[in-house]
């Protein structure tokens, strides 16, 4: 399934933000900063990645639905959908 980058701009922004946050976490570890602050920032990175992943899945489902309605592609199977969601859990 191909997805338009313009449609995924929100997810891309989330991923870029998470990328920056991860760099910050790495720097914090290298600078031996307080473990509580490191873990808090790491949790924020994890949540940002999860939200981006769910945004990508929901956008992909919308595009798949449109393609199916137009007769361009077959629907996504329940098994495949379950596998995609489990990959993020």
């Amino acid at each position: 399934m191909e997805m338009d980058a313009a449609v995924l701009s929100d997810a891309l922004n989330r991923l870029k933000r998470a990328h920056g946050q991860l760099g910050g976490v790495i720097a914090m570890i290298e600078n031996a900063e307080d473990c509580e602050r490191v873990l808090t920032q790491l949790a924020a990175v994890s949540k940002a990645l999860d939200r981006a992943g769910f945004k990508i899945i929901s956008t992909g489902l919308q595009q798949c639905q449109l393609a199916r309605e137009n007769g361009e592609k077959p629907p996504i199977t329940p098994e495949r959908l379950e596998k995609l969601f489990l990959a993020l859990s």
Side-chain angles (χ1 to χ4, degrees):
M1 159 180 55
E2 293 178 21
M3 294 188 283
D4 184 353
V7 174
L8 291 173
S9 64
D10 183 51
L12 280 171
N13 288 336
R14 290 176 192 268
L15 290 171
K16 288 175 184 178
R17 191 168 32 252
H19 180 75
Q21 287 175 311
L22 183 56
V25 170
I26 291 168
M28 291 172 78
I29 293 170
E30 291 173 343
N31 295 326
E33 291 196 29
D34 178 64
C35 64
E36 186 175 343
R37 289 188 60 219
V38 171
L39 292 174
T40 299
Q41 289 304 308
L42 190 57
V45 172
S46 180
K47 186 172 182 171
L49 290 173
D50 287 344
R51 290 179 60 93
F54 288 124
K55 182 69 174 178
I56 290 168
I57 286 178
S58 67
T59 301
L61 289 175
Q62 290 171 347
Q63 289 188 349
C64 282
Q65 178 66 27
L66 289 173
R68 184 177 72 183
E69 289 172 0
N70 294 334
E72 298 167 12
K73 293 185 179 182
I76 195 165
T77 66
E79 294 81 14
R80 181 71 179 138
L81 183 59
E82 181 180 5
K83 186 175 180 179
L84 289 171
F85 277 109
L86 288 175
L88 291 172
S89 66

